Amino acid sequence: MKRLPIIPLIILLIVGGMALKTALPTWLVSLKTPVDFNTLAMEDVRSGLRVEGNVYVVVDTFAVEESWTEHSNGSVTPKETSKYYYIVPIGPAAFSCVGLEIPDEDAAVYADLADATWDYLTGETDALNAAPIPFEGYIAPMDEELYTLFVEWFQDTGYFGTSDAAEVQTYALPYLLTTYSTSGTYLVLGIGLAALLAALLMVLSHLRYRKRQRQAAAAEAEPLSPTSPEAVERDLERW
């Protein structure tokens, strides 16, 4: 290894860094003891908190995440919904609300609970005719675009008795209840650590090579000792 392979090293560092950035927060969350989100006071709701509990009420959907592909010829593939974002009360008072991020494959059961919730809120039924849904995950920050849609839903519906954005934001908290996959997290974490380890080994191997080079150069530059066999042989040749 005459020269340190910079490009492969940079690629390994980028891959390792991105993988750890993605997996470390979730891995750290998975180490925490979960708390019941139904017992959280509003001031205790914060990002990175591992939570569990039953979802008893789903107020409505406020956003969906869709994806599609645009081809060079101008055609567009059909839109596919990958995630649904619901509104759920949080805490013992159940007056503050947060978002709930659910993958498409789990959305049907939450949609049923949302319908039952509205039937109850509008007086069509005397009780919630849907079973609570067990949930386990963590609290994540809601991005700006999603939070704007979140607040607008409350403004449009007057759920909190006001359409003033500042008042709505007092109770519409900028957080999401979201799930995570432990197996997926460990896989990404392993990829990140492997990439960084490979980069470290590459640098150490290069440093060992350079050290051997310096030792070899120093040995060649070192003058011969008068008593060495080479020096004696040269003296005999002069005579």
Side-chain angles (χ1 to χ4, degrees), residues 1 4 13 26 36-37 45 47 49-51 92 102 119 151 169 180 185 187 193-194 203 214 237-238:
M1 187 185 295
L4 184 64
L13 290 175
T26 304
D36 188 343
F37 56 85
V45 178
S47 178
L49 195 65
R50 185 181 174 188
V51 294
I102 294 298
D119 289 342
V151 172
Q169 291 173 12
Y180 62 89
T185 298
L187 176 61
L193 292 175
V203 172
R214 289 193 297 269
E237 287 178 353
R238 284 199 298 271

Short mmCIF file of all heavy atoms in Angstrom, two decimals, residues 1 4 13 26 36-37 45 47 49-51 92 102 119 151 169 180 185 187 193-194 203 214 237-238:
data_model
loop_
_atom_site.label_atom_id
_atom_site.label_comp_id
_atom_site.label_asym_id
_atom_site.label_seq_id
_atom_site.Cartn_x
_atom_site.Cartn_y
_atom_site.Cartn_z
N MET A 1 0.86 -1.19 0.00
CA MET A 1 0.00 0.00 0.00
C MET A 1 0.89 1.23 0.00
O MET A 1 1.26 1.75 1.04
CB MET A 1 -0.90 0.01 1.23
CG MET A 1 -1.94 1.12 1.23
SD MET A 1 -2.89 1.18 2.77
CE MET A 1 -3.75 -0.38 2.68
N LEU A 4 -2.23 5.96 0.69
CA LEU A 4 -3.50 5.71 1.37
C LEU A 4 -4.65 5.89 0.38
O LEU A 4 -4.77 6.96 -0.23
CB LEU A 4 -3.66 6.67 2.54
CG LEU A 4 -4.91 6.48 3.42
CD1 LEU A 4 -4.86 5.14 4.12
CD2 LEU A 4 -5.01 7.60 4.44
N LEU A 13 -16.11 6.01 5.47
CA LEU A 13 -16.44 6.95 6.55
C LEU A 13 -17.85 7.53 6.37
O LEU A 13 -18.59 7.68 7.35
CB LEU A 13 -15.41 8.08 6.59
CG LEU A 13 -14.01 7.69 7.06
CD1 LEU A 13 -13.05 8.86 6.93
CD2 LEU A 13 -14.04 7.18 8.50
N THR A 26 -32.21 5.42 17.64
CA THR A 26 -33.21 4.38 17.90
C THR A 26 -32.66 3.33 18.84
O THR A 26 -33.37 2.83 19.72
CB THR A 26 -33.65 3.72 16.57
OG1 THR A 26 -34.13 4.74 15.69
CG2 THR A 26 -34.76 2.70 16.81
N ASP A 36 -45.76 4.77 30.13
CA ASP A 36 -47.10 4.80 29.54
C ASP A 36 -47.42 6.22 29.09
O ASP A 36 -47.47 7.15 29.90
CB ASP A 36 -48.12 4.33 30.57
CG ASP A 36 -49.51 4.13 29.97
OD1 ASP A 36 -49.78 4.64 28.87
OD2 ASP A 36 -50.34 3.46 30.63
N PHE A 37 -47.60 6.40 27.78
CA PHE A 37 -47.84 7.75 27.27
C PHE A 37 -49.18 8.31 27.74
O PHE A 37 -49.40 9.53 27.70
CB PHE A 37 -47.76 7.79 25.74
CG PHE A 37 -48.68 6.84 25.03
CD1 PHE A 37 -49.99 7.19 24.76
CD2 PHE A 37 -48.22 5.61 24.60
CE1 PHE A 37 -50.84 6.32 24.09
CE2 PHE A 37 -49.06 4.72 23.93
CZ PHE A 37 -50.38 5.09 23.68
N VAL A 45 -43.74 15.46 27.97
CA VAL A 45 -43.67 14.93 26.60
C VAL A 45 -42.43 15.51 25.93
O VAL A 45 -42.28 16.73 25.81
CB VAL A 45 -44.93 15.30 25.80
CG1 VAL A 45 -44.82 14.77 24.37
CG2 VAL A 45 -46.17 14.73 26.47
N SER A 47 -38.92 14.57 23.00
CA SER A 47 -38.34 13.70 21.98
C SER A 47 -37.38 12.69 22.59
O SER A 47 -36.65 13.00 23.53
CB SER A 47 -37.60 14.56 20.95
OG SER A 47 -37.00 13.77 19.97
N LEU A 49 -38.19 9.82 24.07
CA LEU A 49 -38.77 9.06 25.18
C LEU A 49 -39.38 7.77 24.63
O LEU A 49 -40.20 7.80 23.71
CB LEU A 49 -39.82 9.91 25.87
CG LEU A 49 -40.31 9.45 27.25
CD1 LEU A 49 -39.17 9.53 28.26
CD2 LEU A 49 -41.48 10.32 27.70
N ARG A 50 -38.99 6.65 25.20
CA ARG A 50 -39.59 5.37 24.81
C ARG A 50 -40.93 5.22 25.52
O ARG A 50 -41.02 5.41 26.73
CB ARG A 50 -38.66 4.21 25.17
CG ARG A 50 -39.17 2.85 24.69
CD ARG A 50 -38.23 1.74 25.11
NE ARG A 50 -38.79 0.44 24.78
CZ ARG A 50 -38.25 -0.72 25.17
NH1 ARG A 50 -37.14 -0.73 25.90
NH2 ARG A 50 -38.82 -1.86 24.83
N VAL A 51 -41.97 4.87 24.75
CA VAL A 51 -43.31 4.84 25.32
C VAL A 51 -44.04 3.55 24.93
O VAL A 51 -43.66 2.85 23.98
CB VAL A 51 -44.16 6.05 24.84
CG1 VAL A 51 -43.60 7.35 25.37
CG2 VAL A 51 -44.25 6.08 23.31
N PRO A 92 -52.98 12.13 31.01
CA PRO A 92 -54.17 11.77 31.78
C PRO A 92 -55.35 12.69 31.53
O PRO A 92 -56.51 12.27 31.59
CB PRO A 92 -53.69 11.86 33.24
CG PRO A 92 -52.49 12.74 33.19
CD PRO A 92 -51.85 12.50 31.87
N ILE A 102 -48.18 5.80 11.51
CA ILE A 102 -48.49 4.39 11.34
C ILE A 102 -48.21 3.96 9.90
O ILE A 102 -48.63 4.65 8.96
CB ILE A 102 -49.99 4.13 11.68
CG1 ILE A 102 -50.24 4.40 13.16
CG2 ILE A 102 -50.38 2.69 11.34
CD1 ILE A 102 -49.47 3.52 14.11
N ASP A 119 -68.00 8.68 15.91
CA ASP A 119 -69.38 8.31 16.26
C ASP A 119 -69.69 8.66 17.70
O ASP A 119 -70.80 9.10 18.03
CB ASP A 119 -69.59 6.81 16.03
CG ASP A 119 -69.61 6.45 14.55
OD1 ASP A 119 -69.80 7.36 13.73
OD2 ASP A 119 -69.42 5.25 14.22
N VAL A 151 -51.32 21.67 12.85
CA VAL A 151 -51.93 22.86 13.42
C VAL A 151 -53.13 23.31 12.57
O VAL A 151 -54.17 23.71 13.11
CB VAL A 151 -50.90 24.00 13.55
CG1 VAL A 151 -51.56 25.31 13.96
CG2 VAL A 151 -49.82 23.62 14.58
N GLN A 169 -51.24 25.88 19.17
CA GLN A 169 -49.93 25.28 19.41
C GLN A 169 -49.66 25.02 20.89
O GLN A 169 -48.76 24.27 21.23
CB GLN A 169 -48.84 26.18 18.82
CG GLN A 169 -48.85 26.20 17.31
CD GLN A 169 -47.88 27.23 16.72
OE1 GLN A 169 -47.04 27.78 17.44
NE2 GLN A 169 -48.03 27.51 15.45
N TYR A 180 -40.55 1.58 15.87
CA TYR A 180 -39.22 1.30 15.36
C TYR A 180 -39.01 -0.21 15.32
O TYR A 180 -39.67 -0.96 16.04
CB TYR A 180 -38.13 1.96 16.22
CG TYR A 180 -38.08 1.49 17.65
CD1 TYR A 180 -37.31 0.40 18.02
CD2 TYR A 180 -38.81 2.14 18.64
CE1 TYR A 180 -37.27 -0.04 19.33
CE2 TYR A 180 -38.78 1.72 19.95
CZ TYR A 180 -38.00 0.64 20.29
OH TYR A 180 -37.97 0.21 21.59
N THR A 185 -32.73 -1.85 13.18
CA THR A 185 -31.78 -0.96 13.82
C THR A 185 -30.43 -1.64 14.01
O THR A 185 -29.37 -1.07 13.74
CB THR A 185 -32.32 -0.49 15.18
OG1 THR A 185 -33.53 0.25 14.96
CG2 THR A 185 -31.32 0.39 15.90
N LEU A 187 -29.23 -4.11 12.32
CA LEU A 187 -28.59 -4.34 11.02
C LEU A 187 -27.87 -3.08 10.55
O LEU A 187 -26.69 -3.14 10.14
CB LEU A 187 -29.65 -4.75 10.00
CG LEU A 187 -29.17 -4.93 8.55
CD1 LEU A 187 -28.11 -6.02 8.48
CD2 LEU A 187 -30.34 -5.24 7.62
N LEU A 193 -20.85 0.18 12.01
CA LEU A 193 -19.64 -0.19 12.76
C LEU A 193 -18.64 -0.93 11.88
O LEU A 193 -17.42 -0.71 11.99
CB LEU A 193 -20.03 -1.06 13.96
CG LEU A 193 -20.83 -0.36 15.07
CD1 LEU A 193 -21.26 -1.36 16.13
CD2 LEU A 193 -20.00 0.76 15.70
N ALA A 194 -19.13 -1.80 11.00
CA ALA A 194 -18.24 -2.54 10.10
C ALA A 194 -17.52 -1.60 9.14
O ALA A 194 -16.32 -1.76 8.88
CB ALA A 194 -19.04 -3.59 9.32
N VAL A 203 -6.41 2.57 7.63
CA VAL A 203 -5.46 3.59 8.08
C VAL A 203 -4.30 2.96 8.85
O VAL A 203 -3.13 3.31 8.64
CB VAL A 203 -6.19 4.64 8.94
CG1 VAL A 203 -5.18 5.59 9.57
CG2 VAL A 203 -7.20 5.41 8.10
N ARG A 214 10.13 3.78 6.69
CA ARG A 214 11.08 4.64 7.40
C ARG A 214 12.20 3.83 8.03
O ARG A 214 13.37 4.24 8.02
CB ARG A 214 10.34 5.45 8.47
CG ARG A 214 9.42 6.53 7.92
CD ARG A 214 8.98 7.49 9.01
NE ARG A 214 8.21 6.80 10.03
CZ ARG A 214 6.89 6.68 10.00
NH1 ARG A 214 6.21 7.18 8.99
NH2 ARG A 214 6.25 6.06 10.97
N GLU A 237 40.26 -5.40 0.78
CA GLU A 237 40.33 -5.14 -0.65
C GLU A 237 41.25 -3.96 -0.92
O GLU A 237 41.95 -3.95 -1.93
CB GLU A 237 38.92 -4.83 -1.19
CG GLU A 237 38.02 -6.08 -1.26
CD GLU A 237 36.63 -5.74 -1.74
OE1 GLU A 237 36.32 -4.52 -1.88
OE2 GLU A 237 35.82 -6.67 -1.94
N ARG A 238 41.28 -2.95 -0.02
CA ARG A 238 42.16 -1.81 -0.24
C ARG A 238 43.63 -2.24 -0.14
O ARG A 238 44.51 -1.73 -0.80
CB ARG A 238 41.86 -0.71 0.79
CG ARG A 238 40.57 0.08 0.48
CD ARG A 238 40.58 1.41 1.23
NE ARG A 238 40.61 1.21 2.68
CZ ARG A 238 39.54 1.10 3.42
NH1 ARG A 238 38.33 1.16 2.88
NH2 ARG A 238 39.64 0.95 4.72
#
